[in-house]
Amino acid sequence: MSLFKARDWWSAALGEGEEFDLGCLCVGDVDNSGTGHDKVVVGSYMGMLRIFTPLANKTSEGSPADAQLLEVQLHNAIIQVEVGKFVSCSDLLHLAVLHPRKLSVYSVSGTAGNVEHGDQYQLKLVYEHNLQRTACNMTYGTFGGVTGHHSLCIQSMDGMLMFFEQDSYSFGRFLPGFLLPGPLAYNSRTDSFLTVSSARQLESYKYETLAVATEAESRQDSDVPLKTGGKRLTPDWAIVLGEQALDLSVPSFSHSSASIFVLGERNLYCLRDNGQIRFMKKMEFNPSCFLPYTSVTDGTTNLLLGNHTNMLLVYQDVTLKWAAQLPFVPVVVRVANFQELKGIVVSLSSDGHLLCSYMGTDPSFFSTPKVDAREADYEQVDAEMKKLQKFIREATRTQDILPKTDAEEDMFVTTTVSSSMDSPSQALIHDIEGLRVPSVTVQVKVKANCVLQSSKLTIGVQPPLAVTQSQFVLEPMSVGASTVVAFSAFLNGRYPPADLSGDITVSYSSPTGVPRVLQSRFSLPLALVCVPSSPAKNTKFKITVDTNQPPVDLSSIYREFSAKSEDKDGNSLAFQFLSGAKVTMTASKTSQRYRIQSDTFGDMWLVVKELVQRFDQHFSKLGVKDFKKSFSGPLPLQEYFLSVDHHFQLRVSAQQYQDLLSERAVQFRAIQRRLLTRFKDKTPAPLQNLDTLLDSTYSQVIALAEAAEENRALLDEAFVHLRSATHLLVLLLSLWQGLTPDQTAILEATLLPLLQDTPQLGWEESCDAAVSHLLRTCLSRSPKDQATSLAQMGGPVLGLPHDTARLKKHITLLCDRIGKGGRLTLASDANVQVPAQIQNLAAPGGVEPIAEVPGDGDEMELPQEATKFIKKKQPSKKVKKEKEKKDASREPSEASVKEEAGDAGEPIKEVKKEKKESSKEKKESKKDSSKEAKEPKKESSSSSSSKEKSSKEKKEKDKDKEGKEASKESGDKKVSKKTSVKVKEKKKEPEAAEG
């Protein structure tokens, strides 16, 4: 038996097909027995009235019928039942029954039986009131401060409050702004009535205010003046809840915790008598009913709260104290005292399940038998401890984020790519530069291992690739059933893709209702994006791949291209991409080398990747196990940086287009406001060419928007080229240093952290942050630097950098450290212990950054088509010459500082030596700064002379910028402000370096 389950003390099923709701249950000594024991009164919407006195089911022969005192079929539906002193000439308790068009008050009396049938109970009608309006609910209390008797207040469906004092009708009042009825309660402490209106606010009306208000013969409009005497009815106070209320309760068992409780659809409110909120509890479930009851702690109130998940929750104010499971959803809950047990929870469901329960558990008299004591086997315990420690080490070493998949999947996905192109082609673009665009058919077979009701299959490919249909809704499948879907993939852009692989995602729900996702990958053929062509001899970019096996005939591994190739020797092959770029692959006849060359650096990626994959497949079929491939030439970083600069230039252009669009839009709206003001004037005034200015501004906005769209398309294309170039660089690095697949994956995730650019986060800043992390951790120079980086907390906010100098420096440093034997790993971060002297550097500003070259801060230029929208002066020839001299002088200074940094590789023991090394790192990172801290005495003369030269050029450049700023103040205020900010930032950089 679960501890958190309501214990069934007594239960009964009330009729068949009857309905019950809030108000159909009340408890009290309705028969005035004088014992203080409560009876349970239940009324249904079918007009059946029942009274019970529950007894514990001590024997199996007992039935709920033994506890039933009375069952009467009334003619009308029972909306609500209440027990109170409703008869003026009697202090006994009577039963008030509310029907849709009638209010009846009954007396329940019992006579002791002289035979075995037991006591007999009778229901007698004392008085009744026929209602002129359909009733919704009612409340009772000592209205007006009268003691000893209870009056009744009924709320009608059209918003009228009808007051009854015992057997006479007092008056009626319409609630202002009424639309739909809400819960109604009476507060005896303030002699006021509480209700929640359709405006979703709790309103309080004084009984005195209701009594002196306008007589409610008909509904009055709030905007129409009063025709008769009396005051307009207004609430004493109101508070907005923001949601519809399910129930109201005003407990009066303690004056120290006098509160008003409102149960909303998602929140529980507790208010003071003046409308101030004491507390509010936001619930994560849908409540169904509640009941405040007395608490043992002074100043607090306990609540019973039922919800639609069959739970009965006990709260002390906002603290959950207990939770019990019920067999149904309660619609009303009460607390009653019976003959054998006090504090029983009485709950009723909407279909007539009446339950008397208590929470907790019965004491258990079972005692666990003693186990014979035995000596511990220490060798076995030690072996088990070692085994567990081994499991812990393996679990911490893998650091898996996603959980391991189950051994048996619910379904299998098999993908088959056709070996031949479609005829006819399904491509949206029929030809590119005279070349026909082909398409290939892909078939996906889904086989179910269990019953699947509904599943959805989604296909994703990298742009500019596209598919004929990207989503499929699969029919329900039984065990062992399979479904096959087919689609065609093709090139949908005028540039080659960066990846020929695609993803298939199947989302479905398991038989237990758990949502799951299954993923699969497929690769498209190279012939989809290129055709064979004649080899080219003179190209810009060349890459050479070495192997340890004899040369292979290229026509044997590229059979689909060799048939149409013009070269019959088999040692050269050319691929003409549909976008226009040509890639030539040549095999050496004497050596084991293969050269790939093209006029576009990024376009060689797909060919090199295909070559490496086909070599692996070819030699694995021949049974060669020691096949190795390598790259010996220098890394083409400068060629790679051309793609980086092109992408960054387009990003800067996009940002400047955005700024210009914002300015022109502000100007356009300002002109519109001026024109509207002129048109609204009663005396027409001349437009002063505002209409011409509006047309011109509109033309500029349209032209800028079109240019921004064109720039966005170019940016997407540039990012695909950048991805191709990055993939190629990663492949060459892995061939150069023989990286493992795990290390290659880390390097690829570092250099390609994003699959697409966004205006908020771009590739440059993301890649720079990832590369910086590797340089600070696994590729750091010493364990001290690694521990220092691990002690650093937080980091800068990623944003568009000023230029790509820092990123290029970091990528070059990354390749250099990998070439010197750096090990790429993610598990080393957790194995480095932070020394004691490093822990003091964990404070903000205590850790040195990576050596970097800050940019000059000059804004990059826009393409030619955008220059006509930007009114900005270009730098003079003198400034450009000084800039070139500065770049030339920067190179020897970099070399000298690098030599010093290399000589200072000895272990550091004293604090002074640490400071010297940190200052050297600053000098390495701030080479173009003129106000650096002084270098050590052993600095070479060549480095000092270059430093003086660069500082002089820096001062001249600052003066030139200041003069430019002064000349721009009269012409364009915005440009002058930006220039002054840049000058200030450049002045602050040397100060930060000194600090």
Side-chain angles (χ1 to χ4, degrees):
M1 176 78 59
S2 173
L3 180 65
F4 299 101
K5 184 177 181 181
R7 301 300 306 277
D8 187 352
W9 184 73
W10 180 88
S11 61
L14 309 181
E16 294 182 1
E18 298 187 41
E19 295 182 6
F20 303 84
D21 203 352
L22 181 67
C24 293
L25 170 69
C26 72
V27 295
D29 190 11
V30 68
D31 61 342
N32 299 283
S33 62
T35 59
H37 301 150
D38 293 330
K39 311 301 186 294
V40 180
V41 182
V42 183
S44 72
Y45 284 167
M46 306 305 168
M48 191 67 70
L49 181 67
R50 299 178 179 91
I51 301 178
F52 296 92
T53 174
L55 300 173
N57 295 329
K58 296 181 180 179
T59 62
S60 59
E61 298 178 357
S63 63
D66 297 337
Q68 186 167 344
L69 304 182
L70 190 65
E71 184 176 22
V72 178
Q73 175 66 55
L74 302 179
H75 297 290
N76 300 311
I78 299 175
I79 300 176
Q80 190 173 346
V81 290
E82 297 290 350
V83 176
K85 299 178 181 180
F86 302 129
V87 179
S88 58
C89 58
S90 175
D91 292 335
L92 301 179
L93 296 177
H94 289 74
L95 178 63
V97 180
L98 180 63
H99 301 286
R101 285 282 184 167
K102 184 187 295 184
L103 172 64
S104 303
V105 176
Y106 297 93
S107 65
V108 180
S109 59
T111 57
N114 296 324
V115 292
E116 61 182 3
H117 297 293
D119 300 338
Q120 297 179 1
Y121 287 84
Q122 295 180 354
L123 187 69
K124 294 181 180 181
L125 179 64
V126 179
Y127 62 87
E128 65 180 12
H129 294 284
N130 292 319
L131 306 178
Q132 301 298 323
R133 301 178 184 277
T134 304
C136 176
N137 51 22
M138 69 175 177
T139 185
Y140 70 95
T142 55
F143 303 163
V146 178
T147 58
H149 298 285
H150 292 155
S151 301
L152 289 165
C153 176
I154 301 174
Q155 181 180 207
S156 66
M157 296 295 290
D158 58 352
M160 182 179 181
L161 297 182
M162 296 172 284
F163 295 89
F164 298 90
E165 292 185 6
Q166 288 81 42
D167 54 353
S168 61
Y169 171 74
S170 297
F171 58 90
R173 299 289 184 266
F174 275 106
L175 295 176
F178 182 86
L179 183 60
L180 292 174
L184 182 67
Y186 173 70
N187 188 357
S188 60
R189 295 186 294 270
T190 58
D191 193 24
S192 58
F193 293 86
L194 302 167
T195 184
V196 179
S197 65
S198 300
R200 296 185 174 182
Q201 61 182 6
L202 178 64
E203 298 175 352
S204 174
Y205 296 91
K206 290 276 190 180
Y207 179 74
E208 182 181 358
T209 305
L210 291 167
V212 301
T214 309
E215 181 66 24
E217 296 179 359
S218 62
R219 280 189 80 167
Q220 297 284 344
D221 192 352
S222 59
D223 297 332
V224 177
L226 297 175
K227 297 180 180 179
T228 60
K231 297 181 179 180
R232 187 182 302 277
L233 183 59
T234 56
D236 184 36
W237 54 262
I239 182 171
V240 177
L241 301 179
E243 60 180 332
Q244 190 58 42
L246 301 180
D247 197 4
L248 271 175
S249 181
V250 185
S252 58
F253 42 75
S254 175
H255 289 284
S256 59
S257 60
S259 302
I260 300 169
F261 290 90
V262 184
L263 179 64
E265 296 172 338
R266 279 292 181 182
N267 299 281
L268 175 68
Y269 304 89
C270 178
L271 301 94
R272 293 185 174 89
D273 289 339
N274 57 0
Q276 296 179 353
I277 292 183
R278 284 187 57 202
F279 60 82
M280 185 183 79
K281 172 70 175 177
K282 184 175 180 61
M283 296 172 290
E284 299 178 355
F285 49 81
N286 293 324
S288 60
C289 61
F290 84 130
L291 175 71
Y293 67 96
T294 183
S295 173
V296 295
T297 305
D298 193 18
T300 62
T301 304
N302 285 6
L303 292 109
L304 288 175
L305 187 61
N307 60 19
H308 286 273
T309 59
N310 299 358
M311 294 295 294
L312 185 64
L313 309 175
V314 181
Y315 284 91
Q316 186 175 20
D317 287 348
V318 294
T319 306
L320 181 63
K321 292 295 185 180
W322 196 263
Q325 185 77 32
L326 291 176
F328 52 81
V329 177
V331 295
V332 58
V333 60
R334 295 289 182 266
V335 176
N337 297 325
F338 298 125
Q339 183 177 357
E340 300 177 4
L341 195 61
K342 295 184 178 181
I344 286 288
V345 179
V346 183
S347 53
L348 177 67
S349 69
S350 60
D351 56 355
H353 192 166
L354 182 63
L355 176 65
C356 296
S357 60
Y358 60 93
M359 285 166 282
T361 183
D362 294 331
S364 176
F365 298 100
F366 174 76
S367 59
T368 306
K370 294 183 179 180
V371 183
D372 297 336
R374 53 186 177 183
E375 296 181 359
D377 188 356
Y378 292 103
E379 294 181 356
Q380 182 181 359
V381 172
D382 190 28
E384 185 178 1
M385 176 63 73
K386 291 181 179 179
K387 184 179 180 181
L388 294 176
Q389 289 178 347
K390 182 180 178 182
F391 288 156
I392 294 173
R393 283 195 300 269
E394 291 178 354
T396 55
R397 188 182 298 116
T398 55
Q399 297 180 351
D400 289 335
I401 298 175
L402 297 176
K404 295 183 179 180
T405 57
D406 298 335
E408 184 176 356
E409 297 287 346
D410 295 333
M411 65 166 57
F412 289 103
V413 178
T414 307
T415 309
T416 305
V417 181
S418 176
S419 58
S420 59
M421 298 293 113
D422 297 340
S423 180
S425 176
Q426 303 294 325
L428 300 178
I429 303 176
H430 298 291
D431 62 278
I432 299 177
E433 298 180 1
L435 299 176
R436 189 179 65 88
V437 180
S439 66
V440 65
T441 301
V442 181
Q443 287 188 348
V444 182
K445 183 179 179 181
V446 180
K447 184 178 180 181
N449 291 335
C450 61
V451 179
L452 299 178
Q453 295 298 329
S454 62
S455 54
K456 187 177 180 180
L457 187 143
T458 307
I459 297 100
V461 291
Q462 299 295 329
L465 295 176
V467 294
T468 53
Q469 186 175 350
S470 60
Q471 291 185 351
F472 296 89
V473 178
L474 305 181
E475 297 292 333
M477 292 184 289
S478 59
V479 179
S482 61
T483 304
V484 178
V485 298
F487 60 91
S488 296
F490 51 87
L491 186 67
N492 196 30
R494 301 186 181 274
Y495 54 94
D499 195 356
L500 287 175
S501 62
D503 296 321
I504 295 176
T505 305
V506 182
S507 58
Y508 63 96
S509 296
S510 64
T512 58
V514 179
R516 292 189 177 180
V517 174
L518 186 64
Q519 291 182 331
S520 177
R521 293 183 68 86
F522 63 92
S523 296
L524 298 173
L526 184 63
L528 189 66
V529 295
C530 62
V531 295
S533 179
S534 59
K537 296 182 179 180
N538 298 324
T539 56
K540 293 182 180 180
F541 309 107
K542 298 178 182 180
I543 291 176
T544 303
V545 178
D546 300 337
T547 62
N548 62 347
Q549 296 296 326
V552 179
D553 187 6
L554 296 179
S555 60
S556 62
I557 61 175
Y558 286 96
R559 297 186 182 276
E560 68 272 23
F561 292 95
S562 61
K564 301 179 182 179
S565 176
E566 299 178 359
D567 184 30
K568 303 300 180 182
D569 298 336
N571 62 344
S572 64
L573 205 61
F575 304 91
Q576 175 70 45
F577 280 95
L578 300 180
S579 58
K582 181 183 292 187
V583 180
T584 303
M585 181 167 49
T586 306
S588 176
K589 297 181 180 179
T590 57
S591 61
Q592 304 163 355
R593 294 185 174 183
Y594 303 87
R595 171 171 291 179
I596 300 94
Q597 56 190 14
S598 175
D599 289 333
T600 306
F601 179 72
D603 289 348
M604 293 189 292
W605 150 243
L606 291 178
V607 177
V608 176
K609 177 187 176 183
E610 192 78 13
L611 177 67
V612 172
Q613 290 180 351
R614 298 203 180 198
F615 274 170
D616 292 338
Q617 295 174 2
H618 175 73
F619 287 108
S620 62
K621 289 180 180 179
L622 296 179
V624 178
K625 297 182 179 179
D626 59 344
F627 171 68
K628 293 182 180 179
K629 48 196 177 297
S630 61
F631 173 73
S632 58
L635 288 175
L637 288 179
Q638 298 304 321
E639 294 85 349
Y640 173 67
F641 290 154
L642 293 177
S643 301
V644 174
D645 289 336
H646 179 56
H647 177 261
F648 180 74
Q649 175 74 37
L650 291 174
R651 282 193 65 195
V652 173
S653 301
Q655 183 64 38
Q656 292 181 349
Y657 277 131
Q658 187 70 25
D659 296 340
L660 284 173
L661 266 175
S662 300
E663 293 178 4
R664 295 298 181 270
V666 171
Q667 177 179 333
F668 187 75
R669 289 193 293 269
I671 299 170
Q672 281 183 324
R673 285 195 297 269
R674 292 283 184 91
L675 279 174
L676 287 175
T677 305
R678 296 289 177 89
F679 290 149
K680 287 181 180 180
D681 286 345
K682 294 181 180 180
T683 57
L687 296 180
Q688 295 179 350
N689 295 326
L690 284 177
D691 52 347
T692 306
L693 187 58
L694 184 69
D695 293 338
S696 175
T697 306
Y698 176 76
S699 301
Q700 290 184 8
V701 169
I702 295 300
L704 276 172
E706 292 175 353
E709 285 293 326
E710 183 180 354
N711 184 83
R712 184 62 191 173
L714 294 175
L715 182 60
D716 294 339
E717 181 179 350
F719 185 68
V720 174
H721 285 301
L722 179 61
R723 285 188 60 199
S724 301
T726 306
H727 280 301
L728 181 58
L729 181 65
V730 171
L731 178 61
L732 295 181
L733 271 171
S734 62
L735 295 178
W736 181 38
Q737 292 299 318
L739 302 180
T740 63
D742 292 339
Q743 293 175 338
T744 306
I746 294 174
L747 186 60
E748 187 171 351
T750 303
L751 295 178
L752 276 177
L754 299 177
L755 289 179
Q756 61 182 1
D757 265 333
T758 59
Q760 293 80 19
L761 185 64
W763 176 83
E764 284 80 8
E765 55 266 29
S766 304
C767 180
D768 190 19
V771 173
S772 302
H773 176 73
L774 287 185
L775 293 176
R776 290 191 181 104
T777 53
C778 59
L779 295 180
S780 58
R781 293 178 179 176
S782 63
K784 168 188 169 294
D785 298 336
Q786 186 172 351
T788 303
S789 65
L790 292 176
Q792 183 179 9
M793 302 298 292
V797 179
L798 297 183
L800 182 65
H802 295 291
D803 52 23
T804 57
R806 168 176 169 161
L807 176 62
K808 294 177 184 177
K809 178 70 177 178
H810 286 176
I811 293 178
T812 306
L813 194 58
L814 173 74
C815 298
D816 182 54
R817 292 188 182 178
I818 292 177
K820 291 181 180 179
R823 189 168 62 96
L824 289 170
T825 178
L826 296 180
S828 62
D829 298 352
N831 300 328
V832 178
Q833 296 182 357
V834 181
Q837 65 269 23
I838 303 302
Q839 294 179 0
N840 298 327
L841 299 176
V847 181
E848 297 293 336
I850 298 176
E852 61 189 39
V853 180
D856 297 329
D858 297 332
E859 294 185 357
M860 304 189 71
E861 298 179 1
L862 275 174
Q864 294 180 0
E865 63 269 18
T867 55
K868 58 184 177 180
F869 302 114
I870 304 175
K871 297 179 180 179
K872 188 172 181 180
K873 294 183 179 180
Q874 301 295 332
S876 60
K877 294 183 179 179
K878 181 180 178 181
V879 176
K880 289 183 179 179
K881 289 181 180 180
E882 290 177 357
K883 199 171 181 180
E884 291 175 359
K885 288 180 181 180
K886 180 182 175 182
D887 294 338
S889 65
R890 186 185 298 168
E891 295 178 359
S893 64
E894 288 181 3
S896 62
V897 174
K898 280 185 179 179
E899 290 176 1
E900 292 176 6
D903 296 336
E906 299 179 0
I908 301 173
K909 299 180 181 180
E910 299 178 2
V911 180
K912 293 182 179 179
K913 290 184 180 181
E914 291 177 3
K915 291 183 178 178
K916 288 182 180 180
E917 185 176 353
S918 64
S919 64
K920 288 178 183 179
E921 290 178 358
K922 287 183 181 178
K923 291 164 189 172
E924 186 179 357
S925 63
K926 307 285 183 180
K927 290 169 186 171
D928 58 345
S929 175
S930 61
K931 294 183 179 182
E932 275 184 336
K934 292 185 178 180
E935 296 181 354
K937 294 181 179 180
K938 295 181 180 181
E939 185 179 3
S940 61
S941 60
S942 61
S943 64
S944 61
S945 62
S946 63
K947 180 184 174 184
E948 292 174 0
K949 187 175 181 180
S950 62
S951 63
K952 290 179 181 179
E953 292 171 355
K954 179 70 176 178
K955 290 180 180 179
E956 292 176 1
K957 186 175 180 181
D958 290 343
K959 290 179 180 179
D960 188 36
K961 282 194 174 183
E962 289 175 2
K964 194 185 298 182
E965 179 187 353
S967 63
K968 289 182 181 179
E969 282 181 355
S970 60
D972 193 349
K973 293 183 179 179
K974 293 183 179 178
V975 176
S976 65
K977 287 181 181 178
K978 292 180 181 178
T979 318
S980 62
V981 171
K982 290 179 181 177
V983 172
K984 290 180 182 178
E985 289 177 355
K986 293 197 173 186
K987 287 182 179 180
K988 289 180 180 178
E989 284 181 1
E991 295 176 5
E994 290 179 0

